[in-house]
Amino acid sequence: MCKVEIFKKSQTGVLQGEVLSPILFSIYVNDFEMDFLTNNNVPVQLLELNLFLLMYADDMVIFAESVEELQAMLNTLYSYTTKWNLTVNVEKTKIVIFRNGGKIRSDEKWFLNGENIRIVDVPRDAYKLQREV
C-alpha cells in the first residue's frame, strides 16, 4: 500500500482547506483509475471488490500485492501526473507494507520519477486490526 499526496503547482485555484478543494480535485482526476486499467495494472481483490486506489481530497492510497505491481502503478501515476501537469510530493509520499511475517528485503524499494519513496513501519496495533478484518 502506498499513500500519495498530489498537488498542482499553480498561482490560481482554490485555497488549501477550501470547502470546494476536494470536489474540484476529484473532478480533475476522475479518469485516473482508467489509466490503471489501460496500463494493465493489477487490482487487489477484497471480497467482491477490485481495488486500485482510494482517494480522499488530494490524498490517494494505492494498493498492490507485489513489489513489481506497486512499481508499475507508481509508473502509471507518474505518467498521469506528467500528462496533466500535476506534481507528486515525494517527501510526503510513503510506502506501508502489510504482510504476514518477514522483514522488508533490501531489494524492496519503490521509485517515483527516479526518487526513492520512504517505507514506514506499521504500528503494532494497526497490524493487529488489519489481521482481524
Side-chain angles (χ1 to χ4, degrees):
M1 180 170 68
C2 175
K3 181 181 182 298
V4 179
E5 184 167 310
I6 301 175
F7 64 92
K8 182 173 175 25
K9 290 183 179 179
S10 177
Q11 299 295 346
T12 61
V14 294
L15 297 172
Q16 178 77 23
E18 178 68 35
V19 175
L20 288 178
S21 295
I23 296 167
L24 294 174
F25 182 77
S26 294
I27 292 169
Y28 194 73
V29 297
N30 71 347
D31 61 341
F32 180 57
E33 189 175 14
M34 289 305 295
D35 273 30
F36 279 138
L37 291 169
T38 58
N39 284 296
N40 297 317
N41 293 121
V42 180
V44 170
Q45 190 166 4
L46 181 65
L47 299 176
E48 295 180 18
L49 296 174
N50 289 321
L51 290 176
F52 290 108
L53 69 145
L54 295 174
M55 295 177 64
Y56 178 76
D58 63 348
D59 290 328
M60 178 183 304
V61 177
I62 299 174
F63 297 96
E65 291 193 15
S66 74
V67 173
E68 299 78 17
E69 289 170 10
L70 182 54
Q71 186 59 60
M73 295 175 98
L74 289 168
N75 295 343
T76 299
L77 171 66
Y78 178 70
S79 296
Y80 182 89
T81 55
T82 300
K83 179 172 84 175
W84 293 106
N85 197 28
L86 294 167
T87 304
V88 175
N89 187 342
V90 178
E91 289 292 316
K92 290 185 175 181
T93 301
K94 308 291 184 266
I95 303 285
V96 179
I97 299 173
F98 293 92
R99 69 164 61 130
N100 292 328
K103 292 187 175 192
I104 299 169
R105 298 186 324 257
S106 62
D107 65 336
E108 289 183 314
K109 296 181 180 175
W110 293 270
F111 299 88
L112 189 66
N113 189 25
E115 291 186 61
N116 192 7
I117 301 173
R118 190 166 68 109
I119 300 169
V120 296
D121 289 330
V122 178
R124 231 170 177 30
D125 292 340
Y127 185 70
K128 285 180 188 175
L129 265 175
Q130 186 258 347
R131 288 191 317 180
E132 292 171 4
V133 171

